Amino acid sequence: MTIPQSISAPAPPEPTPANDAPSRVTPMMEQYLEIKAANPSLLLFYRMGDFYELFFEDAELASKALGIMLTKRGKHQGVDIPMCGVPVERSDDYLHRLIEKGFRVAVCEQMEDPAAARARGNKSVVRRDVVRLVTPGTLTEDTLLDARTNNYLLAIARARASSGGDRIGLAWIDISTAEFMVTECAVGELAATLARINPNEAIVTDALYGDADLGPLLRELPAVTPLTRDVFDGATAERRLCDYFAVATMDGLSAMSRLEATAAAAAVTYIDRTQVGKRPPLSPPSREAAGTTMAIDPATRANLELTRTLAGERRGSLLDAIDCTVTPAGSRLLAQRLAAPLTDSAAIARRLDAISAFVADGVARDDIRSILRSAPDMSRALARLSVGRGGPRDLAGLRDGILAADSALARLAQLDTPPPEIAGIMDALRRPARDLAREFERALAEQLPLIKRDGGFVREQYEPALDETRSLRDASRLVVAAMQARYADATSIKGLKIRHNNVLGYFVEVTAQHGDRLMAPPLNATFIHRQTLAGQVRFTTAELGEIEAKIANAGDRALGLELEIFERLCTMALAASDDLRAAAHAFALLDVAAALAKLAVDDNYVRPEVDHSLNFAVEGGRHPVVEQALKRDGAPFIANACDLSPPLAGEGRVGAGQIWLITGPNMAGKSTFLRQNALIALMAQIGSFVPASRARIGVVDRLFSRVGAADDLARGRSTFMVEMVETAVILNQASERSLVILDEIGRGTATFDGLSIAWAAIEHLHENNRCRTLFATHYHELTALSAKLRRMFNATVRVKEWQGDVVFLHEVLPGSADRSYGIQVAKLAGLPPAVIARAKSVLAKLEAQDRGQTARALVDDLPLFAVPSRAAAEAAPPTEAEQLMEAVKALHPDEMSPREALEALYRIKSLAAKAGK
Ligand code: ADP
Ligand code: MG
């Protein structure tokens, strides 16, 4: 048991507005208004005793947001002052709710003992100061953070270019883990970059916030804080960064462009401001070179449901399905990887090697995972300690982390030949000094309080001076026990007790029936009445007062000593923070590798072959999320192959990737097929095994996925316009290396409109973008295009018609569907039989007019639409490579004589020689 060390002070008797003439501003209000004026856009938590009070408009906003009572406190210039308050002890909870609702809070503390203020004179006010600004992007408290996600503050700087090609510099920091990244991008890439970083708060200049083009994009972020220009001043950026990192020049830390440095400086300046001078240590900014990650725009992320479903839930997302990590840091790292798949096949292979090691050795995998389960979140513990908000359990976390590093190392050492990534992990785990853990082990008690001020966290026999003070305190407590026995004896009241509470301190308590005796002579000479309750009466004695003072003194001293020890240990930890952080990161890497290996084994995934070709060939592909869902219901997932690789020609592959046009009835599995292929590419590039029996993937530079308007209802803006804007982005941006998924584009408008747009879009993709593409549609007319577009291939999802109903087989095969079976699906869904019958007869009429006929005619009549650049070039004489391909296509081996075959070989050989030049 710990005895409260000090009795909480009552709210300081400061002069309140009520005591003064109505029109005068009291000194306290004066102080309040001054502090408030310095923090205009934040709610001011103004400390008064055990409460943070809010006044005026702040009080009105907060009481509404938190559902707490709005009261009044005195008058200001003749008008009532609205007020509400939150108890300091529970303030984290209230802060959390306010931050979530988009507020920012300035926390203003009492900087001196109220007694000191009183000593200065009756009217003087307790000195107060803002000690911290709480904003969504600068949190460190465990209670305010989600353990499994990073909490990024992002600074966005823009450099104007006269040519119109503005550049954007970005710097993002998670102060709860010390990660610090910078990069630069073109204005057009900003949306995808923001979606990837997914910041909790962004800071920008006022000008950028108000910008007509970029402003709307920024305002879609969860929180944006506009700041004055000086924070984004490029001229002082380097100096501010050097100042923060306490170095003479940034050269040694990292190479950054001027624009990146501007953003980085803005970010650290803002952190400095919000932490009010306490500087959380940050890793040196690490630069993310352009083009090293797969670009994925926000719409694609949303509709592939990478981290959230369209309904906004984590459950049902890809991340949720593949996250088998056992630590919060591992979970954060996996989310980071998923947000930013790589484009360098060597880096991808390095990650895959680590997973392969754990796929091959199941025992090692399980052992490592159980070691990791006991490893605490060291990076967040460190961050809290560094800004003075850490507690004894954070020190214990570091101790346990180092011990876990030893166990992990011992286990990893048994691996045959650890691949480079695991060897790197082992190096990092060796870094933290073992002495530190030993010191913490000696110093920290078994049971630790959450906050250091509760005391009792230093182990006995760690520091003699502390042991001595503690025994003094405990001895005095024994004296109290003896005193109780003595008083009970002297008064003959058996039930007499000496007890303690925060308000009275120690007191003697008897039941009401004995109360009168103690208040009458002779006992009243010893027992001084303090309080009468319904059933009890409470007293104090001179003797008890003395011993109480002794206990309190000893207790205060013991706590003082403990806090000194805490500071010492904290300093030791922070001195080792680089090593500890490296080890923490190594744990996260290890967790992700083991977790992805477990996933691969459990769900039967295969290692993808990733290179820099334009291939995309998946055999036995499955949708990772749908497969898991079906498995839970005991249903099988039908695996499907997909090959978008450039067509074979001669001895190798030439030209660009293919377009697969997928037709088939509703509910057949078209959307699932499209998405599974996008997800397989993405998973391969985060360096994970994939749900397939074989996958050969040429690195994808950009991934695009679009769904026709009607599927987009969940986002609440299902307009055809949105669909078209998004399609425009693809047609303008997709390159030969991109992978494009288009699901029923064009269906948000009238049939012929939609068909025409889809038609033109496919031609453009084939001739201009030349990207690997999957296109699902109900416009069966489009299948006719394959006659003209050489790299277009028709596929369909098989169904069986059985007694007028459809049976879905979910098999993707070459060919095209002649109908959508919409009416059969409607029947399955329970539309009234009369409606079904009527629909059938209408359909029969329409089919008689045969739109398909028209389409086939169109393919013949319409020249390929007038695409400018590349298509024009293609209309020109065919290239050698194409001649070669045509020559091969023209061969009919079964009808050739040996001699003809030999001649053909010579012809091909000579064409190939020309093509190779
Ligand atoms: P479509 O886009 O053709 O209308 P969906 O892709 O939305 O069809 O699939 C409809 C349902 O069929 C899915 O929710 C899923 O449960 C099931 N499904 C799709 N593909 C498969 C598959 N390959 N194996 C098993 N079930 C599947
Ligand atoms: Mg669909």
Side-chain angles (χ1 to χ4, degrees):
M1 189 186 73
T2 52
I3 298 279
Q5 299 299 332
S6 62
I7 295 159
S8 59
E14 293 174 66
T16 65
N19 304 341
D20 279 64
S23 59
R24 283 234 318 276
V25 180
T26 65
M28 193 205 85
M29 240 332 122
E30 206 171 288
Q31 180 193 51
Y32 172 85
L33 292 171
E34 191 181 309
I35 296 175
K36 176 70 197 168
N39 298 282
S41 56
L42 299 101
L43 298 179
L44 183 59
F45 269 34
Y46 185 79
R47 178 77 179 258
M48 297 182 76
D50 287 343
F51 279 81
Y52 290 117
E53 305 286 7
L54 296 102
F55 298 109
F56 301 106
E57 204 195 343
D58 284 4
E60 283 161 7
L61 290 169
S63 71
K64 209 187 244 159
L66 297 171
I68 55 176
M69 257 250 284
L70 188 64
T71 57
K72 292 193 270 271
R73 183 185 170 111
K75 286 185 190 301
H76 177 65
Q77 299 181 328
V79 184
D80 286 338
I81 302 175
M83 177 181 96
C84 69
V86 302
V88 171
E89 272 183 15
R90 304 216 326 264
S91 59
D92 268 7
D93 178 38
Y94 290 107
L95 272 175
H96 185 62
R97 281 154 63 192
L98 287 171
I99 297 297
E100 276 215 317
K101 291 201 147 86
F103 291 100
R104 295 161 179 74
V105 177
V107 180
C108 171
E109 293 290 352
Q110 298 177 170
M111 304 305 282
E112 63 180 355
D113 194 320
R118 274 198 299 279
R120 282 201 304 271
N122 212 5
K123 289 243 162 148
S124 54
V125 185
V126 178
R127 223 162 31 78
R128 290 189 177 82
D129 245 325
V130 169
V131 297
R132 177 174 175 218
L133 309 181
V134 187
T135 77
T138 57
L139 303 173
T140 51
E141 286 86 343
D142 240 7
T143 44
L144 301 183
L145 290 165
D146 176 357
R148 289 192 301 178
T149 48
N150 274 108
N151 196 71
Y152 287 124
L153 169 75
L154 169 70
I156 307 172
R158 173 172 62 180
R160 289 290 206 171
S162 49
S163 57
D166 290 358
R167 299 287 297 170
I168 304 285
L170 303 107
W172 61 107
I173 295 175
D174 183 341
I175 61 170
S176 71
T177 61
E179 285 154 87
F180 190 172
M181 313 280 285
V182 296
T183 195
E184 207 183 300
C185 73
V187 166
E189 295 161 344
L190 183 59
T193 311
L194 292 179
R196 168 160 61 85
I197 299 169
N198 191 20
N200 290 58
E201 180 180 7
I203 57 171
V204 295
T205 56
D206 292 316
L208 199 58
Y209 189 69
D211 188 84
D213 293 332
L214 297 182
L217 191 63
L218 297 174
R219 282 188 284 277
E220 277 186 21
L221 296 173
V224 188
T225 309
L227 298 169
T228 48
R229 259 195 17 220
D230 54 314
V231 179
F232 287 86
D233 178 21
T236 58
E238 172 136 7
R239 186 174 54 64
R240 282 179 289 149
L241 283 168
C242 289
D243 189 40
Y244 193 98
F245 285 99
V247 292
T249 143
M250 285 304 288
D251 296 348
L253 284 182
S254 83
M256 283 186 279
S257 71
R258 187 182 156 97
L259 192 54
E260 287 165 342
T262 302
V268 299
T269 302
Y270 186 65
I271 285 175
D272 223 7
R273 274 191 195 173
T274 56
Q275 308 302 306
V276 191
K278 290 205 189 75
R279 291 187 167 171
L282 300 172
S283 309
S286 113
R287 184 175 195 201
E288 201 177 75
T292 51
T293 61
M294 181 197 273
I296 314 171
D297 55 55
T300 301
R301 282 170 202 277
N303 81 59
L304 289 178
E305 308 191 306
L306 298 186
T307 54
R308 267 177 212 316
T309 62
L310 288 173
E313 315 222 345
R314 180 181 159 114
R315 226 186 117 79
S317 67
L318 177 65
L319 178 58
D320 189 51
I322 67 171
D323 187 356
C324 302
T325 57
V326 293
T327 68
S331 193
R332 293 197 296 270
L333 180 64
L334 182 64
Q336 281 175 20
R337 287 194 176 172
L338 192 59
L342 303 178
T343 51
D344 173 16
S345 62
I348 294 168
R350 194 180 138 98
R351 291 182 182 179
L352 287 169
D353 288 341
I355 299 173
S356 295
F358 286 124
V359 166
D361 188 342
V363 183
R365 180 175 74 236
D366 291 344
D367 290 350
I368 286 296
R369 283 164 64 79
S370 73
I371 292 167
L372 286 169
R373 275 193 198 96
S374 70
D377 200 340
M378 287 200 286
S379 53
R380 284 203 166 159
L382 261 180
R384 283 190 294 273
L385 290 168
S386 71
V387 288
R389 292 196 279 273
R393 291 184 194 173
D394 290 319
L395 293 177
L398 300 180
R399 171 198 65 198
D400 297 343
I402 300 174
L403 296 177
D406 275 336
S407 322
L409 271 172
R411 186 61 187 84
L412 292 173
Q414 296 172 30
L415 291 179
D416 286 346
T417 30
E421 173 146 311
I422 294 184
I425 288 172
M426 293 172 74
D427 288 342
L429 291 179
R430 285 191 199 99
R431 282 178 58 181
R434 275 30 186 184
D435 286 354
L436 197 65
R438 277 193 284 277
E439 184 72 16
F440 286 9
E441 245 183 326
R442 281 201 322 116
L444 297 172
E446 294 301 320
Q447 298 285 326
L448 298 172
L450 189 61
I451 29 182
K452 59 184 180 209
R453 294 212 62 86
D454 284 348
F457 54 84
V458 176
R459 201 188 273 278
E460 270 169 38
Q461 297 186 345
Y462 176 66
E463 181 142 315
L466 178 61
D467 289 343
E468 203 172 293
T469 334
R470 277 177 175 166
S471 53
L472 213 67
R473 183 192 64 194
D474 299 341
S476 307
R477 282 195 201 134
L478 287 179
V479 174
V480 171
M483 201 186 287
Q484 171 174 309
R486 190 149 43 80
Y487 285 163
D489 222 34
T491 58
S492 321
I493 303 172
K494 267 221 200 105
L496 180 148
K497 289 258 154 21
I498 295 182
R499 305 182 53 193
H500 181 276
N501 73 19
N502 277 347
V503 181
L504 294 181
Y506 282 95
F507 54 85
V508 175
E509 186 175 273
V510 294
T511 51
Q513 67 185 97
H514 297 300
D516 288 347
R517 271 218 300 130
L518 297 193
M519 283 189 270
L523 289 176
N524 68 352
T526 311
F527 294 95
I528 307 153
H529 176 256
R530 293 292 309 272
Q531 201 177 30
T532 301
L533 305 174
Q536 292 93 26
V537 191
R538 292 169 170 177
F539 300 86
T540 184
T541 70
E543 203 185 0
L544 192 56
E546 269 169 38
I547 199 83
E548 167 156 19
K550 263 195 201 157
I551 293 176
N553 275 339
D556 281 352
R557 272 199 45 218
L559 181 63
L561 284 170
E562 286 204 69
L563 293 179
E564 273 173 31
I565 294 169
F566 183 87
E567 286 316 314
R568 219 163 59 217
L569 298 176
C570 190
T571 310
M572 287 169 67
L574 293 179
S577 65
D578 285 351
D579 293 337
L580 291 170
R581 246 187 341 251
H585 184 61
F587 273 145
L589 288 168
L590 201 54
D591 191 8
V592 169
L596 288 175
K598 178 179 163 49
L599 174 77
V601 171
D602 288 356
D603 284 8
N604 198 15
Y605 289 2
V606 68
R607 180 179 172 139
E609 302 150 46
V610 183
D611 57 25
H612 289 278
S613 69
L614 291 177
N615 291 344
F616 183 97
V618 171
E619 291 163 28
R622 284 116 55 204
H623 190 298
V625 182
V626 177
E627 182 181 35
Q628 280 185 14
L630 289 177
K631 201 160 151 196
R632 279 192 292 273
D633 298 340
F637 188 94
I638 311 301
N640 279 305
C642 177
D643 191 349
L644 304 175
S645 314
L648 262 177
E651 287 154 18
R653 289 175 190 276
V654 290
Q658 300 187 55
I659 298 182
W660 272 29
L661 186 79
I662 296 126
T663 46
N666 275 305
M667 291 295 291
K670 299 184 298 299
S671 301
T672 308
F673 179 69
L674 260 54
R675 284 183 173 77
Q676 84 189 25
N677 285 300
L679 295 181
I680 285 171
L682 190 135
M683 288 176 71
Q685 288 183 229
I686 69 169
S688 164
F689 280 33
V690 297
S693 54
R694 182 168 188 201
R696 277 163 296 155
I697 291 168
V699 163
V700 171
D701 68 343
R702 283 165 164 250
L703 181 62
F704 293 98
S705 168
R706 290 298 181 280
V707 182
D711 263 9
D712 223 11
L713 277 175
R715 289 171 65 200
R717 39 172 220 173
S718 80
T719 64
F720 179 62
M721 182 65 187
V722 172
E723 182 187 328
M724 286 299 106
V725 167
E726 293 181 353
T727 308
V729 171
I730 297 180
L731 298 180
N732 289 326
Q733 298 185 356
S735 79
E736 206 166 56
R737 298 221 139 267
S738 305
L739 178 63
V740 173
I741 304 293
L742 291 169
D743 196 351
E744 301 195 30
I745 284 303
R747 78 168 165 184
T749 181
T751 309
F752 284 129
D753 271 11
L755 172 58
S756 324
I757 291 169
W759 183 297
I762 290 179
E763 285 182 346
H764 193 277
L765 287 165
H766 188 270
E767 298 302 305
N768 271 27
N769 306 99
R770 302 164 66 87
C771 46
R772 292 161 283 182
T773 305
L774 286 163
F775 196 115
T777 186
H778 280 295
Y779 298 127
H780 303 134
E781 296 83 347
L782 292 173
T783 56
L785 270 170
S786 65
K788 195 148 216 161
L789 304 180
R790 278 196 295 117
R791 286 174 287 102
M792 187 180 128
F793 175 83
N794 287 323
T796 182
V797 194
R798 216 177 118 213
V799 291
K800 243 187 358 214
E801 223 171 327
W802 191 71
Q803 297 185 343
D805 288 337
V806 280
V807 179
F808 300 110
L809 300 174
H810 305 304
E811 257 176 75
V812 178
L813 301 169
S816 51
D818 49 349
R819 46 200 300 215
S820 284
Y821 297 90
I823 295 175
Q824 280 83 347
V825 174
K827 187 175 159 202
L828 284 181
L831 248 64
V835 175
I836 299 290
R838 176 68 182 150
K840 277 186 177 158
S841 67
V842 173
L843 180 66
K845 275 251 164 55
L846 291 176
E847 278 178 346
Q849 294 169 8
D850 194 5
R851 264 163 39 200
Q853 195 81 58
T854 330
R856 276 187 292 280
L858 268 182
V859 171
D860 295 337
D861 297 350
L862 274 184
L864 267 185
F865 75 123
V867 255
S869 53
R870 184 138 35 170
E874 285 205 348
T879 63
E880 263 83 22
E882 280 161 339
Q883 286 176 28
L884 174 63
M885 205 157 67
E886 291 302 331
V888 175
K889 272 190 181 164
L891 298 179
H892 302 282
D894 290 341
E895 299 158 22
M896 290 165 122
S897 68
R899 190 190 164 88
E900 281 168 343
L902 192 61
E903 275 169 5
L905 265 180
Y906 279 121
R907 205 162 56 238
I908 289 173
K909 191 91 180 104
S910 90
L911 273 173
K914 278 193 220 153
K917 265 183 212 148

